[in-house]
Amino acid sequence: MQSQHAITRFSFPQLLKMFFYPTVVISLFGCGENQPQANIDTSAYVHTVASEPLQLQHSYRVMRKFSGRVTSKQSASLSFEVSGRIAAIFVDEGESVTKGQILARLDTELLTIEQQQLQAQVLQLKAEEELVDANLTRSDALIENGYASQQTVDELTAQKKVLRANQQQLQANLAAKKYQINHATIFAPFAGTINKRLINLGEVINPQIAAFELQQHSNFELKVGVPQHLIAKIKQQQAFNLEVNQQTITVTSLAVNSALNERSRTVQLRFPLPDGLKAYNNQLAFFSFEQRYQQGGFWIPLTALTDGIRGTWNVYTLAPESNDTYKLLSHSVEIIHSEQNRAFIRGDLAQDQLLLSAGMQRLVPGQLVKTNL
């Protein structure tokens, strides 16, 4: 029989909880009592902002850029003047040609045969006319001797006139055949480049079908459409700035069309480009025109603008306070003109007044700030 006062047995984990954990906790509390407290600065932080003084302008300039096309003054669509089968093609697209160079030729064999037939008919009529002349000579002699009547002479004279009329008609037909043979060949009317070849060897072609598109090497011009109300101011300029191939070119000559474009409602300007300029037909180019407006205001960066109420725009200015700090004040402004990274505004602002130029999203009116100036 076991004793009523039996000794209670504890496992090792239970003993660890009873003696080790309380010792560690007491040690931690003892170590923390002598640690110094951190000094926390509870004063308000003042932002340093980017600012710049406002500069009053009595006018502003707007650089307007109008796009246009570079075109060649000489550009032609070439075709045959007669119908026929294409016998030879001497050039292809992209090739340079000189003035008078042969580009293509038609088969003229049938035209040559018809020309020879007409020449034979002319010879026949001349022979008949010679016979009529001989008969007239004999008839005149017979009339003198009383062996022929005047009617015979009149008939021979009329026959001679008919033969001469037929000869004239044949000569005209011969001239037409000669013209067709001579114009069965296309010659280059000026030196240039073949932009398009629209025919193939062996095709039967008529004069309504274009064969080549030829463009002159030089003599380029820029055609630009501008609003009608700017024409008078543009004409007052002595020089004009053009941009071709990302290269600025200054020219002094200008031609203005007298008609208004029905679609764009603009007036076309034509600027001759310098000789030797590397350009392509229908290439995009630009004409820059600087226009001045008499309007007071300030140029500010776009980063200085923030949305206001009811669709307005606001800017912040810096009003001096104590200890080199400034107070932000909000001003409602009107945007007169804007460009890529700046805007021309007007509002209740003054010369040399400090403007908050960036960081609007982190600040509010009435906040104290420091300036970087």
Side-chain angles (χ1 to χ4, degrees):
M1 183 176 179
Q2 295 182 352
S3 173
Q4 295 180 353
H5 302 283
I7 298 174
T8 304
R9 296 181 179 180
F10 297 96
S11 63
F12 179 76
Q14 291 175 332
L15 293 174
L16 185 63
K17 292 180 181 180
M18 293 173 61
F19 295 101
F20 180 72
Y21 287 171
T23 304
V24 173
V25 172
I26 294 172
S27 299
L28 291 176
F29 275 107
C31 293
E33 290 178 355
N34 297 325
Q35 293 296 324
Q37 297 292 330
N39 295 325
I40 300 176
D41 186 6
T42 59
S43 61
Y45 174 74
V46 179
H47 286 278
T48 299
V49 297
S51 62
E52 60 183 52
L54 290 170
Q55 299 296 325
L56 178 63
Q57 306 291 329
H58 299 288
S59 64
Y60 67 97
R61 296 181 179 182
V62 177
M63 182 62 70
R64 300 188 180 276
K65 182 178 287 188
F66 302 95
S67 61
R69 292 187 305 113
V70 175
T71 60
S72 176
K73 291 183 179 180
Q74 287 286 347
S75 182
S77 180
L78 307 178
S79 60
F80 290 100
E81 297 186 33
V82 295
S83 301
R85 182 179 61 84
I86 299 174
I89 300 175
F90 301 101
V91 294
D92 206 344
E93 294 182 359
E95 294 185 11
S96 297
V97 297
T98 58
K99 182 178 180 180
Q101 181 177 340
I102 298 177
L103 306 182
R105 185 175 61 238
L106 294 178
D107 184 4
T108 59
E109 182 179 0
L110 179 60
L111 293 174
T112 303
I113 294 174
E114 293 176 349
Q115 184 183 38
Q116 292 172 353
Q117 290 176 345
L118 291 173
Q119 290 173 346
Q121 293 177 13
V122 170
L123 293 176
Q124 180 182 353
L125 291 177
K126 286 183 177 181
E128 292 178 359
E129 184 181 1
E130 291 176 358
L131 177 60
V132 170
D133 288 338
N135 290 334
L136 280 173
T137 302
R138 285 191 292 268
S139 296
D140 290 339
L142 292 174
I143 289 176
E144 291 178 359
N145 297 325
Y147 296 107
S149 64
Q150 185 63 36
Q151 181 180 357
T152 302
V153 175
D154 293 340
E155 290 176 353
L156 291 173
T157 302
Q159 185 179 357
K160 182 178 180 179
K161 291 180 179 179
V162 171
L163 290 174
R164 286 188 175 180
N166 290 337
Q167 288 184 41
Q168 291 179 355
Q169 182 177 1
L170 288 176
Q171 292 292 346
N173 292 338
L174 272 173
K177 291 300 177 183
K178 183 178 180 181
Y179 178 89
Q180 291 177 348
I181 292 174
N182 292 337
H183 289 78
T185 302
I186 297 180
F187 298 91
F190 49 82
T193 302
I194 302 296
N195 281 344
K196 290 184 180 180
R197 177 175 67 86
L198 305 172
I199 57 174
N200 295 303
L201 195 65
E203 289 181 342
V204 177
I205 195 171
N206 57 62
Q208 287 75 32
I209 299 177
F212 300 97
E213 288 188 6
L214 178 64
Q215 176 193 320
Q216 196 173 26
H217 284 309
S218 57
N219 290 334
F220 286 103
E221 63 180 3
L222 173 61
K223 295 181 179 180
V224 182
V226 300
Q228 182 180 1
H229 67 275
L230 295 179
I231 297 298
K233 294 182 179 179
I234 292 176
K235 285 183 176 180
Q236 295 174 359
Q237 293 188 196
Q238 301 297 324
F240 310 95
N241 294 325
L242 311 178
E243 183 181 337
V244 183
N245 294 330
Q246 298 181 349
Q247 177 183 358
T248 301
I249 301 171
T250 301
V251 298
T252 57
S253 181
L254 168 67
V256 182
N257 284 13
S258 59
L260 198 66
N261 188 286
E262 295 181 356
R263 292 185 177 180
S264 62
R265 311 306 298 173
T266 58
V267 179
Q268 187 181 80
L269 306 181
R270 294 186 292 112
F271 301 95
L273 299 179
D275 292 336
L277 177 67
K278 184 63 176 179
Y280 297 92
N281 204 37
N282 295 322
Q283 176 182 341
L284 188 66
F286 302 93
F287 162 58
S288 298
F289 171 63
E290 188 178 70
Q291 191 172 5
R292 172 176 288 186
Y293 295 90
Q294 297 298 327
Q295 170 68 58
F298 305 88
W299 282 108
I300 66 169
L302 291 180
T303 54
L305 288 168
T306 184
D307 295 336
I309 60 174
R310 300 176 184 175
T312 60
W313 293 96
N314 291 344
V315 297
Y316 292 167
T317 59
L318 283 67
E321 293 286 332
S322 60
N323 299 328
D324 296 330
T325 59
Y326 295 83
K327 185 178 182 180
L328 293 180
L329 302 179
S330 178
H331 300 265
S332 180
V333 296
E334 178 186 358
I335 298 178
I336 305 300
H337 173 71
S338 63
E339 296 179 353
Q340 184 175 3
N341 56 4
R342 64 174 186 167
F344 190 79
I345 65 168
R346 65 179 179 182
D348 185 18
L349 302 171
Q351 171 74 14
D352 295 328
Q353 193 172 7
L354 285 180
L355 172 75
L356 179 65
S357 57
M360 311 284 292
Q361 71 279 2
R362 299 183 291 110
L363 305 168
V364 294
Q367 183 175 345
L368 294 179
V369 296
K370 291 183 179 181
T371 179
N372 60 343
L373 297 180

